[in-house]
Amino acid sequence: MTRIRVTDRSTGDVIAETDPTGPPSPAAQPGERPIVLPSPTPSSARGRVGLEVVVAGWRFELEAEDADLAGLRERATSGRAAVVRHGPTEVRAIIPGRVVSVAVTAGDDVSAGQRLLAVEAMKMENELRAPRDGVVERVAVAVGETVELGDPLVVLR
């Protein structure tokens, strides 16, 4: 039996899972049927179909895909809310420059998005933030040091 998962294109929320071979779902108002059109913009992922649905004058942009494929995609990407830690994470220099500030030390607890350090390049200060929650295992640089692209700066565990 083939099931279809319908997702809100703007938020990624699952709206419904339905069986297209089953009985039709009830309309919003008795006698009123939604208008379903192909979306003018392409789908964001392979295997999904973009849809534009108009119900009682309200327009919704949705994506539909096979429910089994959607489940497989979620398991492969560990889902949106899952926090997976597969060992230490190295934060590396995204641009060559000079370290102008370090906001953490070894042993500090950090949360995703927290400022770790700043690197100055071409008179611009670039902040590097924690990619995930964790504990700072090692700070590999100090203020004033010159770093090259890809040099390790901070290690989170």
Side-chain angles (χ1 to χ4, degrees):
M1 179 176 287
T2 301
R3 294 188 57 79
I4 301 292
R5 180 175 292 179
V6 180
T7 308
D8 184 325
R9 183 174 264 180
S10 63
T11 64
D13 294 336
V14 175
I15 304 296
E17 276 197 34
T18 183
D19 180 4
T21 60
S25 57
Q29 296 290 329
E32 185 175 326
R33 306 241 344 128
I35 300 169
V36 180
L37 305 167
S39 178
T41 56
S43 181
S44 63
R46 203 170 104 202
R48 293 183 183 172
V49 176
L51 300 172
E52 194 171 292
V53 179
V54 180
V55 180
W58 289 87
R59 179 180 161 269
F60 302 94
E61 287 188 22
L62 307 171
E63 288 188 341
E65 73 177 318
D66 182 79
D68 292 334
L69 181 61
L72 179 63
R73 184 186 318 277
E74 283 179 4
R75 287 190 304 277
T77 59
S78 300
R80 282 181 172 228
V83 177
V84 179
R85 294 190 179 94
H86 296 290
T89 300
E90 288 187 339
V91 176
R92 295 180 173 268
I94 59 171
I95 191 167
R98 185 176 57 87
V99 178
V100 292
S101 69
V102 178
V104 295
T105 59
D108 287 354
D109 288 325
V110 294
S111 56
Q114 181 177 334
R115 179 184 171 147
L116 299 174
L117 53 89
V119 175
E120 182 184 86
M122 299 184 300
K123 304 288 184 196
M124 295 290 294
E125 192 171 298
N126 300 286
E127 287 187 345
L128 283 104
R129 298 184 175 272
R132 64 170 175 86
D133 293 348
V135 177
V136 176
E137 184 174 288
R138 180 171 60 97
V139 178
V141 294
V143 174
E145 283 188 34
T146 302
V147 295
E148 294 297 324
L149 177 68
D151 284 353
L153 306 172
V154 177
V155 178
L156 300 176
R157 62 175 149 82

